[in-house]
Amino acid sequence: MIGVVNGVPGHVLLVHGAVVLVPLTALFLVVCALWASVARRLSWLVPLLGLITLVLVVLSTESGEWLEERVEESALMERHTELGGGLTPWAAALFVLTLVVWWVGRAVARRPPGAGGRQDVPEDDRPRGGGSGAARTVSSLPVRIVVLLGALAVAVGATVQVYRIGDSGAKAVWEGNFSQSQGDDKR
């Protein structure tokens, strides 16, 4: 559990990482789902990014629960906490789909040219023979379309959830705590 880091609540620090990594992971997920050649080039980096994102979201949520016990209760804070708890399933789905896209990208790369396989794979990297039935199924167009649609849905859902959580957190912290006029002293 990360409570305080250098005098600042850990949640404040961790959440900024999650705000950047969730949409970034979502973007990489969709790009790799659209283009198997990109998925192949990035290889295991996108699933690793998905795992780091998931861990960061879990740490942000746990540190937020720690912080919630130490701040004044309000309806805005309750809303933020409620929304924040809903990000972990989205981050888990992002991670799982990065693994699926990586796996499908590998199957597409291994598919032989005569079976509708990738022509941009160097000949030395292509398998000999007809390829397995599983590789043909996984790399088929209908499977790739389903994976792409799932990736799009999860990417959009996770990004929207991050926005909603961030908006509610900003309102919980800042609403009524600053002046809209320059030079007003709220002391």
Side-chain angles (χ1 to χ4, degrees):
M1 175 67 69
I2 298 176
V4 177
V5 177
N6 203 25
V8 177
H11 179 70
V12 175
L13 301 172
L14 292 169
V15 77
H16 285 87
V19 164
V20 170
L21 285 185
V22 168
L24 185 65
T25 302
L27 176 65
F28 276 111
L29 172 64
V30 170
V31 168
C32 288
L34 278 170
W35 294 288
S37 62
V38 174
R40 192 180 67 254
R41 282 188 202 108
L42 294 177
S43 185
W44 52 268
L45 292 175
V46 177
L48 178 63
L49 181 62
L51 178 61
I52 291 168
T53 300
L54 175 58
V55 169
L56 191 57
V57 165
V58 169
L59 289 174
S60 295
T61 302
E62 287 181 3
S63 64
E65 290 169 358
W66 178 90
L67 183 59
E68 179 188 23
E69 295 170 5
R70 289 157 177 83
V71 297
E72 188 177 320
E73 274 190 51
S74 71
L76 292 172
M77 189 59 68
E78 186 62 34
R79 173 82 172 137
H80 175 66
T81 302
E82 186 179 297
L83 287 171
L87 185 57
T88 301
W90 287 108
L94 274 175
F95 172 58
V96 168
L97 277 167
T98 61
L99 290 172
V100 169
V101 167
W102 170 75
W103 185 52
V104 169
R106 288 178 47 96
V108 168
R110 285 184 167 29
R111 200 164 170 191
R118 303 293 303 183
Q119 299 297 324
D120 58 344
V121 176
E123 189 154 341
D124 293 341
D125 291 344
R126 293 183 192 153
R128 305 290 178 237
S132 73
R136 281 191 301 274
T137 301
V138 168
S139 63
S140 69
L141 185 59
V143 169
R144 290 172 44 206
I145 289 171
V146 167
V147 169
L148 173 61
L149 292 175
L152 282 168
V154 169
V156 169
T159 302
V160 167
Q161 186 70 4
V162 165
Y163 171 81
R164 293 175 65 214
I165 295 165
D167 181 61
S168 68
K171 285 178 181 171
V173 170
W174 291 105
E175 192 167 279
N177 289 324
F178 70 98
S179 173
Q180 293 196 18
S181 318
Q182 185 178 4
D184 284 354
D185 192 0
K186 286 209 54 142
R187 288 183 242 164

